[in-house]
Amino acid sequence: MMSNYLFKQPSQVLRSAFTPGFRVSSGARNIAGAPRGGGAAATLLRPFSVLTDQTVNDTSLPMFMVGTPNGFLPRQDPQAELPKEFSRLESILQRMPIQLLDGEPGLLASGQFGEAVRDELPLYDVDQVHDQRLLSALFRDYSFAASAYLLEPCDVLFRQRGEYGLGRKVLPMNIAVPLTKVAEKIHSKPFMEYALSYALYNYKRLNPLADLTYDNLALVRAFAGSESEKGFVLSHVTMVAHSPKLIKYTVGALDAAQAKDRARFDQQMAGLNETYETINNEMEMMWSRSLPSDYVHFRTFIMGTKNQPMFPDGVIYEGVSDQPVVHRGESGANDSMVPLGDNLLQITERMPENPLTRVLKDFRTYRPTNHREFLEHVQDRAKQVNLKQFALQDDNSAALYLANVDQIRAFRHRHWNFTKEYIIKYTDHPVATGGSPIVTWLPNQLSAVLELLNEVGSGINMEQLSEGNKIRVDEIRKRANAQQRFLNREVAALKERFKNQDKTE
């Protein structure tokens, strides 16, 4: 069945080793050069290497590989236009948005995209395509075509009546077959993803030599074609543009904890906190770049087919399988920056065991293979060196740990505010784009972080802190207490309006 089209890809060992350890069975003898420390010497980690250059001319490696030059962005800028052998697909996608660049209506404006796919799009052969940059562009473009085709009827009805109705039940083979084959080649699922499609492989620089700043970026593909859609997507790109420093400080903090180097650990944690604060400040720019009232006009197309009432029976991929399949929709929850903090700070371990947390874990399968492996490695190594325990052994280190957890809180709290202002304010649809309950899912993670802040904050001896850390810890403790009380009341009230908020499948 199509739901099995996700394959594990081994990490590429390149340039600079993240850790020289190996994963071995429990009780195996230690290996020279493997990391020791944290009381977990018997648990050895497999190697993971972080790129130290972007290997610009290498098209044999995956586009998404964690590196110090690129962070969680692709190691090369996305290919913006398909070659001439895919000209009809390129033509349809350029004519697809509701509003074109020249202001004229596109195919989706009048519900003509499906007809264009049936009449114009050939069944392209992608078997001989091995160039990873082109494969990534084809995945982005076929996943855009798939979402536009399946959800076009829902968008038309929503614009007419404010309800979604039903999506198309069958994805035609001229999209389904090449999408599935390309997805296999890049080890992904055959549906739109945050990193591989909608956001992080969907930008181009206006000046190829200039930085990844908002004013220097444009979209490659769009559904609505509006300034707000552009702002929504590219704000994610500019946030992730800061992720190289997250990689640097994560590796540094783990190395310092393993070596029990307190001064270096504090330095790395301070750098990590500053970087997360920069990312949160960039996230705040979303309010001015993408108007809350506009989001519902392109949100339809980034919904999935799993746990969505528009697809009660799933979708059949014609020419691939006669069994219907479902996939989660595109979501910022698929981004790797907050999961990195979760795993490094050992927040993931304390997430409540419930269906909402299982959705969180499912979301984390919808990202590039190399990203998943890096996050898993960070989680394993943080547990091995017991980073949290090392931080809490010193009150000033604990304050830096607390500050980083608070940055994760700030990110999730802002995401929750976006959900209320961009979605809940304008629609009664009970499910988010990724198929999670709209009211309870984000508060599930946010509550766990607030509880951790209260727990760690109450255990810090304020008399041992520097003056700056005293102020910081006091502010964090007061805010976490107040925010937890307000969140509980807020969610309880919203659950009166949105029913079945425990439904996750």
Side-chain angles (χ1 to χ4, degrees), residues 100-113:
L100 303 179
L101 291 174
D102 61 6
E104 292 297 311
L107 294 171
L108 288 174
S110 52
Q112 295 180 313
F113 183 78

Side-chain angles (χ1 to χ4, degrees), residues 323-377:
Q323 296 297 313
V325 294
V326 293
H327 297 96
R328 293 201 179 276
E330 188 279 339
S331 170
N334 302 139
D335 189 83
S336 294
M337 295 188 296
V338 166
L340 176 65
D342 282 347
N343 288 358
L344 176 69
L345 303 171
Q346 298 182 267
I347 300 171
T348 302
E349 300 167 23
R350 61 177 294 127
M351 289 290 178
E353 284 296 330
N354 60 32
L356 296 169
T357 299
R358 287 195 287 275
V359 172
L360 174 69
K361 293 177 180 178
D362 193 20
F363 270 133
R364 293 183 176 182
T365 68
Y366 286 78
R367 55 169 48 97
T369 304
N370 186 262
H371 288 193
R372 291 200 306 274
E373 292 184 341
F374 178 68
L375 296 179
E376 290 166 4
H377 189 101

Side-chain angles (χ1 to χ4, degrees), residues 251-267:
V251 173
L254 287 166
D255 286 345
Q258 179 179 321
K260 302 199 180 303
D261 185 336
R262 179 71 58 189
R264 184 162 181 252
F265 178 78
D266 288 354
Q267 181 186 49

Side-chain angles (χ1 to χ4, degrees), residues 13-30:
V13 181
L14 293 164
R15 309 298 185 265
S16 172
F18 174 33
T19 176
F22 298 86
R23 181 185 300 280
V24 296
S25 60
S26 178
R29 195 160 56 88
N30 209 344

